Amino acid sequence: MNLLQWKLLPLLTLVASIFLVFYLQDPSQNGCSLLPHKHFWITSKRIVTPQGVISGAVEINEGKIVSIVKEEERHGKIMGHHVIDYVDAVVMPGLVDIHVHLDDPGRSEWEGFPSGTKAAAAGGVTTLVDMPLNNFPSTTSEETLKLKIKAAEGRIYVDVGFWGGLVPENAFNSSALESLLSAGALGLKSFMCPSGINDFPMTNITHIKEGLSVLAKYKRPLLVHSEIQQSSPSPLQLEGSQDDPRSYSTYLATRPPSWEEAAVRELLKVTNNTRPGGSAEGAHIHVAHLSDSGSTLELLKEAKRSGDSVSVETCTHYLAFSEEDIKDGDTRFKCAPPIRDKANKEKLWDALMEGHIDMLSSDHSPTLPDLKLPDSGDFLKAWGGISSLQFDLSATWSHAKKRGVTMEQLALWWSERPAKLAGLELKGAIAIGKHADIVAWAPDEEYDVNDKFPIYLKHPSISAYMGMRLSGKVLATFVRGQLVYEEKHAPTACGTPILARVTD
């Protein structure tokens, strides 16, 4: 080797090292993104921002939104950069689904982080928050949360946060709850009726009051499955069903609206503690998957008027289906609280559009097909839960467009408000400084949910949406600026586990 080569060797080594670091960190090189650019622009005639829908361009660099320009301002600003033009497709903040059961670890044969987050990406969901039950063990301690985080690392295609569980075992142990919250749980979830999972028992109002006192210190929410089991259905309630377990009306009679009303009445005994100056100021109660649009909703409206820190969600399936749609033996539609009649569905839509219901979620709750008992069609014994994560956006839009819902309302229900509830300050809006979590979709494009459509749910046969025609096809999904889905998924799962930060 001559003298010149010896002198060049250190320089070549340095250049190679820099290249290697760049190669490993660049999402276009490590399979995290289908797009070979970290700095690029997205343009469209319909970009949904907090200030309204604009025609213009969004600049993305290093995973964040760095500028937004309107059409009349963009001349000369985007030259020299890669541009993705979605023409008149809608460019919207990615959906934030705060109510998802991915069952990982422990029951990944039901779902799992890889399959579930692929479904999310294909449906325009860029962030989800995983529930603390249906996985095994349930996420009720710092140790079990660490198991959940470990199971997610390197296996998620979108960003994933985690709720912890409030159960009788930890409700009176403030140090255990504080450890769970300090370890990164975004908040807690409890059931006021049997959950169906042995290591996730139900709580009563005393447990909930204790949990709120701890949550107040962390300023995080408590999500509540608000049903209280009451007496068995009366003969009058069962009238017309002939007590036939294949009849949906038989199942519906076993979980009347009075269960939801009774639970919320109990909750209202402690929600006043969340008011300014109250003993649980800083805590927040969130009623999950509201099904009853009658007296239960009226109670919640009164609590809000009184200044209680309370919010409520409903789910896509309560807005898309009604009792009249469900055929005998079709246990794909079994869930709790149950899907009620058409009049109830219309009132839920009214409440959502009037602002009394704050946000939407999927309550994606899959299982093994056999546990749905498709052969017997027994609604009383089949596992409950709707498998729906991939169709959050399309199923909502298919019914919303008939009611004059705007794109801004969709973004509010599916992005901004869920992100705020979960404390995700960098999510939920197309705004400067936020994560570049974006979905591009064609609202007028229809598709049939059948065996020919690429379905990423682990067990498509159990989804209530099979056989439907939906409007609103997802074209592309970006998570932190990485193109994770565009008719196919990115080769590598590079989603980020989201942990709450403890601040003084």
Side-chain angles (χ1 to χ4, degrees):
M1 183 177 293
N2 60 37
L3 183 60
L4 179 61
Q5 289 173 320
W6 275 109
K7 289 182 177 180
L8 287 175
L9 185 59
L11 179 60
L12 292 172
T13 303
L14 177 62
V15 170
S17 300
I18 293 172
F19 175 78
L20 184 60
V21 170
F22 176 80
Y23 183 92
L24 291 174
Q25 293 181 346
D26 187 349
S28 68
Q29 300 296 336
N30 61 24
C32 294
S33 178
L34 297 168
L35 182 69
H37 301 278
K38 291 190 291 184
H39 188 185
F40 59 97
W41 290 78
I42 289 175
T43 63
S44 171
K45 296 176 182 176
R46 290 189 283 182
I47 300 173
V48 184
T49 76
Q51 290 74 42
V53 179
I54 66 167
S55 175
V58 179
E59 182 182 9
I60 296 163
N61 193 13
E62 299 289 348
K64 287 191 174 181
I65 297 168
V66 295
S67 71
I68 301 170
V69 296
K70 293 182 179 179
E71 181 66 32
E72 58 270 22
E73 302 167 348
R74 60 179 276 194
H75 180 71
K77 290 189 177 182
I78 64 175
M79 292 181 65
H81 294 291
H82 183 75
V83 178
I84 307 171
D85 187 3
Y86 286 109
V87 194
D88 58 357
V90 174
V91 171
M92 198 172 86
L95 278 64
V96 178
D97 195 335
I98 57 162
H99 196 143
V100 179
H101 297 267
L102 293 188
D103 312 330
D104 208 348
R107 290 191 177 93
S108 57
E109 69 274 14
W110 290 20
E111 181 65 275
F113 283 122
S115 58
T117 55
K118 277 189 173 183
V125 177
T126 53
T127 304
L128 61 84
V129 188
D130 196 27
M131 281 292 165
L133 70 162
N134 293 9
N135 49 281
F136 183 79
S138 291
T139 312
T140 57
S141 66
E142 178 184 0
E143 293 73 24
T144 50
L145 176 59
K146 288 179 178 178
L147 290 176
K148 173 87 74 168
I149 297 166
K150 183 178 180 181
E153 288 174 344
R155 303 175 69 234
I156 52 178
Y157 287 80
V158 301
D159 288 355
V160 177
F162 312 95
W163 300 120
L166 177 68
V167 293
E169 183 181 356
N170 63 21
F172 298 104
N173 187 340
S174 59
S175 62
L177 285 180
E178 289 181 7
S179 294
L180 176 57
L181 293 166
S182 295
L186 300 179
L188 301 176
K189 167 74 181 294
S190 72
F191 271 68
M192 298 181 77
C193 62
S195 71
I197 298 294
N198 291 336
D199 69 341
F200 204 96
M202 61 183 281
T203 54
N204 59 35
I205 199 63
T206 305
H207 301 128
I208 288 171
K209 185 176 182 180
E210 291 294 322
L212 285 177
S213 66
V214 177
L215 285 163
K217 301 176 186 178
Y218 291 81
K219 295 182 170 51
R220 296 184 204 166
L222 173 67
L223 286 73
V224 185
H225 182 122
S226 302
E227 287 183 291
I228 288 182
Q229 187 171 1
Q230 300 186 301
S231 59
S232 300
S234 67
L236 183 62
Q237 288 172 318
L238 287 171
E239 185 179 354
S241 69
Q242 290 83 45
D243 209 10
D244 177 6
R246 285 181 51 82
S247 170
Y248 182 70
S249 59
T250 299
Y251 171 63
L252 189 58
T254 68
R255 294 185 98 104
S258 60
W259 282 32
E260 292 186 77
E261 180 184 355
V264 170
R265 283 193 185 279
E266 279 289 286
L267 282 177
L268 296 190
K269 294 178 180 179
V270 297
T271 55
N272 60 339
N273 295 335
T274 64
R275 298 176 190 173
S279 59
E281 181 183 359
H284 178 86
I285 287 183
H286 178 77
V287 173
H289 47 46
L290 178 76
S291 169
D292 173 34
S293 63
S295 53
T296 308
L297 181 59
E298 289 303 315
L299 290 171
L300 290 167
K301 288 160 66 174
E302 178 58 34
K304 288 183 177 184
R305 285 193 291 267
S306 299
D308 298 358
S309 186
V310 176
S311 58
V312 57
E313 74 188 48
T314 193
C315 300
T316 320
H317 45 272
Y318 300 128
L319 301 174
F321 306 117
S322 59
E323 174 189 359
E324 294 85 348
D325 301 321
I326 302 172
K327 298 178 181 178
D328 288 354
D330 196 347
T331 53
R332 296 178 303 158
F333 292 89
K334 179 180 177 179
C335 60
I339 296 166
R340 306 194 190 279
D341 61 27
K342 185 177 180 180
N344 183 79
K345 178 180 77 172
E346 293 304 319
K347 289 180 181 178
L348 286 175
W349 270 110
D350 290 343
L352 180 65
M353 296 183 70
E354 291 166 4
H356 302 305
I357 295 174
D358 301 283
M359 65 194 76
L360 297 176
S361 76
S362 67
D363 190 10
H364 175 68
S365 185
T367 188
L368 293 173
D370 288 350
L371 294 181
K372 278 290 189 181
L373 306 181
D375 294 333
S376 70
D378 188 329
F379 275 103
L380 300 182
K381 294 180 180 178
W383 183 264
I386 303 291
S387 189
S388 60
L389 183 55
Q390 187 177 342
F391 306 112
D392 281 351
L393 178 56
S394 297
T396 304
W397 177 244
S398 296
H399 295 268
K401 66 177 184 177
K402 307 168 189 174
R403 294 170 167 83
V405 170
T406 66
M407 297 301 169
E408 294 100 317
Q409 286 174 302
L410 275 184
L412 190 68
W413 301 335
W414 267 118
S415 303
E416 182 180 330
R417 286 178 178 166
K420 184 177 180 181
L421 177 75
L424 306 177
E425 297 176 358
L426 296 178
K427 307 287 188 184
I430 294 180
I432 294 172
K434 300 276 191 180
H435 287 157
D437 295 348
I438 292 171
V439 55
W441 59 290
D444 298 324
E445 188 167 342
E446 297 185 344
Y447 62 94
D448 294 311
V449 184
N450 55 33
D451 293 337
K452 295 180 181 178
F453 186 77
I455 296 172
Y456 299 99
L457 301 175
K458 189 161 188 172
H459 302 293
S461 65
I462 67 171
S463 176
Y465 294 98
M466 288 298 293
M468 290 192 67
R469 187 171 183 80
L470 297 178
S471 295
K473 186 177 180 182
V474 171
L475 305 176
T477 304
F478 297 82
V479 178
R480 299 185 191 231
Q482 300 176 47
L483 181 56
V484 299
Y485 178 80
E486 189 179 52
E487 296 188 351
K488 64 179 181 179
H489 290 87
T492 305
C494 296
T496 302
I498 302 171
L499 302 178
R501 293 178 296 174
V502 179
T503 55
D504 295 330

